[in-house]
């Protein structure tokens, strides 16, 4: 596989306050991020709320412009594109928003919502667009006659399916999902995740998923980037990251994942204190104020993201000497059994929802 989307030195600063006198207050939401996202993979970006995940997603899709750095799509620097060229790019790079209740125009029918990207990009005749809308509705588990209904007539899970159908209308190569299931009930999340996986395989998509739920990411991702205070602190294949984390922050995130088995327990890694103020981040390693392994070097020298193993990058001075806890392989059979029960329940719930909608 080759990189379809590349970021170099990606940085975004926001001015939060402009006083009459003195310097403005600036938040550095994303700080010097380098990424290579391979064609056809599912790439996940995870971390606590406020760590810069959503800002990074918008930078990658050029919904907002970077303060510094560049994003290259298929060999082209998208920050240098004209307005017309950027509009053409939107056909190949689509976004699924977090909240299915606010991301759909309540005054438009479902058919108009899904068909709007086709009209904007001039794809097909009116009859071909209607046929495309009907086909997309089937692919996301809805019926063609739903095209004449309005968003308020659907549940949250069904609205997110509509958002997925709209994102796929133009035949994109990359789909970016900004926490696409976090606003949904747990019983509906598995359905939406399975739809995304099926459509990725069918259309050959590259998926970029933003999330803070590592249980979801473990199920769907090929590679995972862990963010903390605007920086990537660990980047690795999903299986390797979950089994053998190299950064203390990643270990803490993994220890918080619930075990889907009655009576099962896992040693918790508790972090002291709150995340630092992004307006005035600490010097050196930004995680040192909460890290149980911090040493003097961490307080003064910022660690660079470097490879400690093949395709496993970590921003920690002492990654090679730390012995951190991952998710043990003995948990996998229990997790698989729980996922199977959950899938059966989700299928039954979906059938009940469809029957209720008539």
């Amino acid at each position: 596989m080759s990189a379809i989307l590349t970021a170099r030195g990606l940085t975004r600063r926001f001015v939060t306050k402009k006083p009459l006198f003195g310097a403005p207050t600036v938040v550095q939401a994303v700080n010097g991020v380098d990424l290579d996202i391979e064609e056809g993979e599912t790439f996940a970006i995870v971390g606590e709320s406020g760590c810069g995940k959503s800002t990074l997603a918008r930078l990658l899709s050029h919904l907002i412009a970077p303060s510094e750095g560049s994003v290259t799509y298929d060999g082209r620097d998208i920050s240098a594109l004209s307005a017309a060229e950027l509009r053409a790019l939107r056909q190949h790079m689509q976004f699924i928003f977090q909240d299915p209740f606010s991301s759909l125009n309540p005054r438009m029918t479902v058919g108009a919502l899904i068909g709007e990207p086709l009209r904007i990009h001039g794809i097909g005749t009116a009859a071909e667009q209607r046929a495309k809308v009907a086909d997309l509705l089937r692919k996301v588990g809805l019926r063609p006659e739903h095209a004449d209904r309005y968003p308020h007539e659907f549940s949250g899970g069904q609205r997110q399916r509509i958002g997925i159908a709209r994102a796929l209308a133009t035949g994109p190569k990359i789909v970016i999902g900004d926490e696409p299931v976090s606003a949904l009930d747990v019983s509906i999340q598995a359905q939406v995740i399975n739809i995304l996986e099926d459509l990725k395989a069918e259309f050959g998509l590259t998926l970029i998923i933003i999330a803070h739920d590592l249980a979801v990411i473990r199920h769907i991702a090929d590679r995972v980037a862990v963010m903390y205070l605007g920086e990537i602190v660990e980047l690795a294949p999903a299986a390797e990251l979950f089994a053998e984390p190299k950064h203390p922050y990643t270990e803490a995130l993994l220890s918080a994942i619930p075990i889907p088995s009655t009576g099962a327990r896992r040693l918790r890694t508790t972090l002291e204190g709150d995340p630092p103020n992004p307006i005035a981040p600490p010097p050196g390693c930004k995680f040192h104020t909460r890290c149980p392994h911090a040493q003097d070097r961490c307080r003064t020298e910022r660690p660079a993201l470097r490879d400690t193993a093949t395709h496993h990058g970590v921003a920690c001075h002492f990654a090679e000497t730390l012995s951190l806890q991952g998710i043990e392989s003995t948990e996998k059979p229990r997790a698989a059994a729980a996922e199977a029960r959950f899938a059966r329940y989700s299928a039954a719930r979906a059938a009940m929802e469809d029957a209720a909608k008539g």
Side-chain angles (χ1 to χ4, degrees):
M1 293 187 293
S2 59
I4 190 172
L5 195 67
T6 299
R8 290 292 178 268
L10 205 56
T11 299
R12 175 65 191 201
R13 291 182 289 270
F14 293 100
V15 177
T16 61
K17 185 179 180 181
K18 291 184 178 180
L20 185 59
F21 301 101
T25 301
V26 177
V27 174
Q28 190 146 300
V30 175
N31 182 25
V33 167
D34 293 336
L35 283 177
D36 291 289
I37 298 174
E38 297 178 348
E39 186 172 3
E41 76 171 332
T42 298
F43 187 88
I45 304 170
V46 303
E48 293 173 290
S49 296
C51 71
K53 305 185 301 295
S54 294
T55 301
L56 179 56
R58 284 160 171 75
L59 288 170
L60 292 174
S61 59
H62 207 66
L63 291 179
I64 58 175
S67 302
E68 296 175 12
S70 64
V71 178
T72 302
Y73 165 73
D74 213 12
R76 302 176 66 193
D77 183 354
I78 65 176
S79 60
L81 298 181
S82 65
E85 290 172 327
L86 191 58
R87 171 173 287 193
L89 172 71
R90 298 293 179 214
Q91 181 176 343
H92 305 292
M93 190 184 301
Q94 289 289 310
F95 212 94
I96 302 171
F97 294 93
Q98 178 178 0
D99 186 1
F101 293 90
S102 62
S103 61
L104 301 178
N105 189 333
R107 298 188 178 185
M108 295 175 68
T109 65
V110 167
L113 285 165
I114 298 174
E116 186 175 30
L118 298 172
R119 292 189 294 273
I120 289 174
H121 293 283
I123 301 174
T125 64
E128 289 170 340
Q129 290 172 4
R130 287 193 296 271
K132 179 72 170 179
V133 168
D135 183 55
L136 286 169
L137 284 170
R138 292 190 192 97
K139 289 185 183 300
V140 297
L142 298 174
R143 294 196 292 273
E145 54 266 30
H146 287 160
D148 297 323
R149 299 185 183 181
Y150 288 85
H152 73 269
E153 300 179 66
F154 296 89
S155 67
Q158 289 172 322
R159 291 189 198 194
Q160 196 61 296
R161 296 186 197 192
I162 294 166
I164 293 170
R166 179 177 61 180
L168 294 176
T170 60
K173 294 182 179 179
I174 298 176
V175 173
I176 301 175
D178 184 7
E179 307 225 23
V181 299
S182 65
L184 306 178
D185 292 340
V186 175
S187 59
I188 307 300
Q189 289 182 2
Q191 299 173 28
V192 175
I193 292 169
N194 289 335
I195 287 171
L196 284 172
E197 287 191 308
D198 292 342
L199 293 175
K200 173 183 180 290
E202 180 176 350
F203 292 100
L205 300 173
T206 300
L207 282 181
I208 302 173
I209 302 295
I210 312 301
H212 61 263
D213 188 340
L214 283 169
V216 170
I217 294 308
R218 186 186 186 192
H219 176 74
I220 194 174
D222 297 313
R223 285 195 301 151
V224 180
V226 181
M227 287 193 73
Y228 184 80
L229 216 61
E231 299 178 358
I232 291 179
V233 297
E234 188 161 4
L235 174 60
E240 185 174 337
L241 182 136
F242 279 84
E244 298 180 14
K246 303 292 185 183
H247 197 282
Y249 178 61
T250 306
E251 179 191 42
L253 292 179
L254 295 179
S255 75
I257 300 176
I259 300 176
S261 180
T262 303
R265 295 289 185 271
R266 183 188 297 128
L267 181 64
R268 293 292 298 271
T269 301
T270 303
L271 299 179
E272 301 293 336
D274 297 321
N277 185 347
I279 295 175
C285 175
K286 292 182 178 179
F287 187 60
H288 84 258
T289 57
R290 305 172 73 193
C291 180
H293 308 283
Q295 301 182 33
D296 290 341
R297 181 183 180 188
C298 305
R299 299 177 179 89
T300 58
E301 182 181 341
R302 178 189 173 190
L305 186 70
R306 57 191 174 82
D307 284 340
T308 58
T310 305
H311 306 302
H312 194 143
V314 61
C316 177
H317 295 305
F318 307 104
E320 290 85 352
T321 61
L322 297 179
S323 180
L324 303 180
Q325 178 190 14
I327 295 181
E328 298 177 4
S329 59
T330 55
E331 294 177 10
K332 293 182 180 179
R334 293 195 294 267
E339 287 176 0
R341 292 194 300 272
F342 185 62
R344 290 194 295 271
Y345 169 77
S346 298
R349 178 68 178 268
M352 291 172 62
E353 282 189 354
D354 289 342
K357 290 294 180 181

